[in-house]
Amino acid sequence: MARERILVVDDEEDIRELIAYNLEKEGYFVSAAKSGEEALSKVLRELPDVVILDLMLPGIDGLEVCRRMKLQEQTRSLPIIMLTAKSEDADVVAGLELGADDYLTKPFSPRVLVAHLHAVLRRAKENDSRAAATLLRIHNITIDVSRHEVTVDSQPVALSATEFAILEHFARSPGWVFSRNRIIDAVKGKDYPVTERSVDVQILGLRKKLGAAGEHIQTIRGVGYRIRAEG
């Protein structure tokens, strides 16, 4: 049984109770907060393994909670699953750019939420264990980080430094969607003077050089890019 600690942040009591009920059945320890202020206090005190965060909160909203968490050293790496009642792409993009890891649009199935939570926890553990990995394999692509070499079906592929960095970033988190700004931050560092359009150009070049394997790099309309997870 799972024993990870989950903080659920939502101002609607019935939703908090529904989420808590389903997660506790899975064996998780669940605590709850009904406002952004309470969430920020609890997250520092409890340091949960995942925060399930509604964006539409009274007072400090979910996006601001996310932003403040990512500024704090103690909470910077905590995975966040956003909940939103809106279907607008702007909400999802804003949350992902602030550092959220996943999102669900209300109404959602509790089973889907549990599946997303399992995936986020699994990816977090994989990232911890793979952080120092120098040889990455995804689909028919092999990335040798130490040698700065890429092969597709054992055939070498010549990539620019930026293309290589983007591919490595994707390969370390297969299935995760990254906004253009998050790709820039990961590859070039924060506040680097690069336009979002330049990311599209780099992705286009990367796909072309990878040939048929470039189809594994997917565009998520209105959000960003990802490399398709295996299986």
Side-chain angles (χ1 to χ4, degrees):
M1 293 286 285
R3 305 308 295 173
E4 289 89 349
R5 296 165 296 170
I6 314 299
L7 175 62
V8 179
V9 187
D10 199 298
D11 61 325
E12 298 183 50
E13 184 177 0
D14 56 343
I15 293 180
R16 293 197 306 271
E17 291 179 351
L18 176 66
I19 294 174
Y21 172 76
N22 283 277
L23 296 189
E24 286 170 352
K25 282 202 309 181
E26 296 290 321
Y28 294 106
F29 291 115
V30 181
S31 60
K34 59 185 178 181
S35 69
E37 292 85 348
E38 185 181 4
L40 289 171
S41 175
K42 280 197 169 186
V43 80
L44 285 172
R45 188 166 65 249
E46 300 176 3
L47 290 178
D49 295 289
V50 175
V51 177
I52 298 176
L53 176 65
D54 184 29
L55 295 188
M56 301 296 291
L57 295 171
I60 301 175
D61 66 19
L63 290 177
E64 180 62 15
V65 172
C66 182
R67 187 187 72 82
R68 294 191 189 186
M69 282 181 57
K70 295 305 176 180
L71 289 175
Q72 293 274 353
E73 182 66 31
Q74 306 98 306
T75 59
R76 184 173 299 159
S77 62
L78 293 183
I80 298 173
I81 299 177
M82 300 179 294
L83 302 180
T84 175
K86 298 180 180 179
S87 59
E88 297 177 2
D89 292 337
D91 298 307
V92 174
V93 172
L96 292 174
E97 288 180 349
L98 286 170
D101 299 273
D102 202 351
Y103 66 94
L104 282 173
T105 301
K106 295 179 181 178
F108 54 84
S109 160
R111 291 180 61 188
V112 172
L113 173 62
V114 170
H116 277 249
L117 177 59
H118 288 173
V120 165
L121 285 167
R122 182 177 67 251
R123 290 166 185 166
K125 291 175 182 177
E126 288 173 352
N127 281 349
D128 288 343
S129 63
R130 294 169 63 184
T134 60
L135 193 65
L136 307 174
R137 293 187 177 90
I138 180 77
H139 304 294
N140 57 338
I141 305 168
T142 301
I143 306 164
D144 190 325
V145 178
S146 61
R147 294 173 179 265
H148 211 268
E149 295 176 348
V150 173
T151 60
V152 175
D153 292 326
S154 300
Q155 297 301 310
V157 177
L159 300 180
S160 69
T162 300
E163 290 166 345
F164 184 94
I166 292 174
L167 181 61
E168 179 189 349
H169 185 59
F170 286 167
R172 288 190 182 277
S173 301
W176 283 37
V177 182
F178 297 98
S179 69
R180 292 166 178 82
N181 281 342
R182 287 193 71 185
I183 293 171
I184 293 170
D185 289 347
V187 173
K188 295 293 188 180
K190 288 187 178 295
D191 301 321
Y192 192 86
V194 174
T195 64
E196 292 187 1
R197 174 59 183 162
S198 68
V199 175
D200 298 333
V201 173
Q202 293 289 343
I203 295 291
L204 182 65
L206 177 59
R207 282 171 169 159
K208 184 176 181 180
K209 292 179 180 179
L210 292 175
E215 296 179 358
H216 297 304
I217 298 176
Q218 300 175 319
T219 301
I220 308 302
R221 189 175 299 277
V223 182
Y225 297 98
R226 70 180 177 191
I227 193 165
R228 182 171 58 83
E230 295 183 288

